[in-house]
Amino acid sequence: MHERVESPKQGLLERLAEGPVVCAEGYLFEFERRGYLQAGAFVPEVVLEHPDLVAGLHREFVHAGSDVVEAFTYYAHREKLRMIDREGDLEAINRAALDIASRVAGETGALVAGNICNTNVFLPTDESRREVRAMFDEQLEWAVDAGVDMVIAETFSYGEEALIALEAIKATGLPSVVTMSIHQDGITQEDWTPEDCCRRLEDAGADVVGLNCGRGPWTMLPLLERIRENVQTHVAALPVPYRTTEAQPTFQSLQDPAWSDFPNGRPFPVALDPFTCSRYEIEEFTRRAHALGVDYLGVCCGAGPHHIRAVAEALGRTPPASRYSADMSKHAFFGTDSRVRPEYQDYAEKL
Ligand SMILES: [Zn+2]
C-alpha cells in the first residue's frame, strides 16, 4: 500500500462545514449514450478500453462545477465482471479507474472518491452477508491504495446491504457518502422507510446519508424532506434528470405516451430521452433541496455537464463552464443588444 500523501486541499467534511458540495454521477448512462458502454450488463469496460475518454468526462464534470471526481468503479465488482466473463480483469479495471480519477482530481483540486454499489447478490442470509462484505473489501482495498479522499456507496435498495458497505468503509477510516435508491413503493427491500434507513446509517457512522438514482427530482424531493427531518448529519440528493411522476415515480417505471414499440417493453434504460429534465428544472430542484437543508447535491444517470452546471449555479457558484452560460441578449433575432438589427428583432416572433 502507498503512504497517503498529505495534501493541502480540504477534505469532504471540511468542505461540507463551509457549504454545499456538488457531485456529478451518471457515468454509465453517459458512456452508453456515447457508444462506449453496453446497456444491460452496464459494466464500465470503457475504463480499460478508452481511459482518455473517462478522464475527459471527469474533466467536463469538474469544469461544470463538480467538487468530486468519482472513480468509475460503479458495477466494476466481482458479480458484474463474472456476468460478462471478465472476472480476471476485476483488479485491473478498478485500479485503472482509480488512477484516472486521481489524475484528474490532482489536476483540478477536486476530491477523488472511491465508489462501491449494490452487489446484486445480497440476500438477508449470513452466507450472502459474508460474500458482499468480501466484495466491498476487495474494491475498497484498491481505493485505499490509490489514496482516495472519500468513498461513495450508492444505489442500494436493501438498507442492510448499505449498512454492510458502510461498515466496510468505516474500516478504512475514510469519509463516507451512503445513498439509497428508493423504488416505486417508497421503501427499501426490507420495508424500511427512507428516513428510518438513513437514521440507521447515521447511527452506524455515515458522514453523509441520502438518496441517489431511481427517482427524478419531483418524486425524490418529498422523501428528502422526511429524511432531513429525521437525521442530524449531512444529506445527499442526486436524482436522475427525468420527469418522473406520482404515478410513475422511478425512471424504470416511466411509460412514453408517444411511443410504445420498445424491445424491452419500456423506455428504460435507453429510450428515456423525451423525459429529460431541462437545466432549469435541475436548477429549481437544487434550490429547493438546498432550502430544505440538503447539502450534498448532484445528478445521477442521465446527467450531462449542463445539468451539473445548473446544480452549481443554483448554489451561487460560477464554475469555469459558467463563462458559456446562455446570454440570449446577443441572439441574432431574440437579442436585446443594441447591435442586433431592429428588422431582425421584429422578425423574431415569426421564428
Ligand atoms: Zn444512477
Side-chain angles (χ1 to χ4, degrees):
M1 280 209 237
H2 300 171
E3 199 72 335
R4 291 202 68 205
V5 181
E6 276 302 311
S7 148
K9 79 180 176 194
Q10 286 188 309
L12 173 68
L13 300 178
E14 291 76 47
R15 292 185 193 211
L16 283 168
E18 287 180 6
V21 165
V22 176
C23 179
E25 292 185 345
Y27 290 93
L28 281 180
F29 266 45
E30 185 59 19
F31 280 116
E32 192 286 327
R33 194 179 69 82
R34 294 184 185 189
Y36 293 97
L37 192 148
Q38 189 171 39
F42 277 119
V43 182
E45 296 170 272
V46 64
V47 163
L48 294 174
E49 289 154 10
H50 298 281
D52 50 326
L53 297 183
V54 177
L57 184 55
H58 285 319
R59 288 191 192 101
E60 286 178 36
F61 279 143
V62 173
H63 177 76
S66 185
D67 298 310
V68 180
V69 176
E70 182 174 20
F72 194 16
T73 58
Y74 189 90
Y75 277 169
H77 59 49
R78 193 167 285 282
E79 188 269 342
K80 281 289 187 180
L81 274 289
R82 196 183 289 147
M83 184 70 77
I84 60 162
D85 299 315
R86 290 191 74 167
E87 206 176 345
D89 292 327
L90 179 64
E91 181 170 351
I93 196 170
N94 276 270
R95 290 202 188 273
L98 288 155
D99 181 58
I100 296 163
S102 300
R103 199 149 30 84
V104 175
E107 292 164 14
T108 58
L111 295 167
V112 58
N115 178 221
I116 54 177
C117 64
N118 52 304
T119 60
N120 307 322
V121 296
F122 177 79
L123 290 169
T125 66
D126 283 341
E127 192 193 341
S128 170
R129 290 181 182 105
R130 274 192 301 273
E131 184 183 358
V132 304
R133 175 63 195 258
M135 287 171 66
F136 294 143
D137 283 343
E138 64 188 352
Q139 281 194 286
L140 288 170
E141 188 185 327
W142 298 318
V144 169
D145 266 2
V148 299
D149 299 305
M150 57 189 274
V151 178
I152 298 166
E154 57 171 316
T155 60
F156 298 102
S157 55
Y158 272 111
E160 201 193 336
E161 189 180 22
L163 283 163
I164 295 170
L166 173 61
E167 200 175 78
I169 299 169
K170 295 292 285 178
T172 69
L174 289 162
S176 55
V177 177
V178 186
T179 49
M180 304 296 299
S181 286
I182 301 295
H183 298 286
Q184 288 189 61
D185 51 9
I187 47 179
T188 68
Q189 282 212 58
E190 60 269 90
D191 298 348
W192 299 347
T193 63
E195 59 271 29
D196 180 33
C197 184
C198 286
R199 202 167 36 219
R200 289 173 193 243
L201 289 163
E202 176 179 39
D203 289 346
D207 296 301
V208 182
V209 298
L211 306 178
N212 83 316
C213 212
R215 291 178 171 242
W218 310 121
T219 55
M220 183 180 277
L221 199 64
L223 308 189
L224 292 168
E225 195 167 354
R226 282 160 32 203
I227 292 168
R228 182 62 285 176
E229 284 167 3
N230 283 279
V231 302
Q232 306 301 313
T233 193
H234 303 284
V235 173
L238 300 96
V240 292
Y242 296 111
R243 292 171 173 166
T244 54
T245 63
E246 212 170 309
Q248 295 164 8
T250 62
F251 69 159
Q252 294 95 339
S253 64
L254 285 169
Q255 293 293 336
D256 189 342
W259 191 266
S260 57
D261 187 17
F262 301 105
N264 58 322
R266 57 180 69 205
F268 178 85
V270 295
L272 291 164
D273 313 57
F275 302 99
T276 306
C277 294
S278 76
R279 61 194 74 188
Y280 303 118
E281 293 164 85
I282 295 300
E283 203 173 324
E284 178 64 14
F285 167 80
T286 304
R287 231 181 268 118
R288 290 204 211 167
H290 187 229
L292 287 177
V294 173
D295 59 351
Y296 181 98
L297 294 142
V299 184
C300 200
C301 303
H306 65 307
H307 289 123
I308 301 305
R309 178 174 59 189
V311 172
E313 290 184 350
L315 298 168
R317 308 262 184 88
T318 50
S322 291
R323 182 183 159 203
Y324 306 103
S325 290
D327 175 6
M328 286 297 285
S329 73
K330 296 187 177 70
H331 189 270
F333 296 90
F334 295 111
T336 51
D337 191 283
S338 60
R339 290 163 291 188
V340 177
R341 292 188 179 274
E343 296 84 347
Y344 278 64
Q345 288 174 320
D346 290 345
Y347 191 65
E349 56 193 65
K350 293 188 178 165
L351 293 182

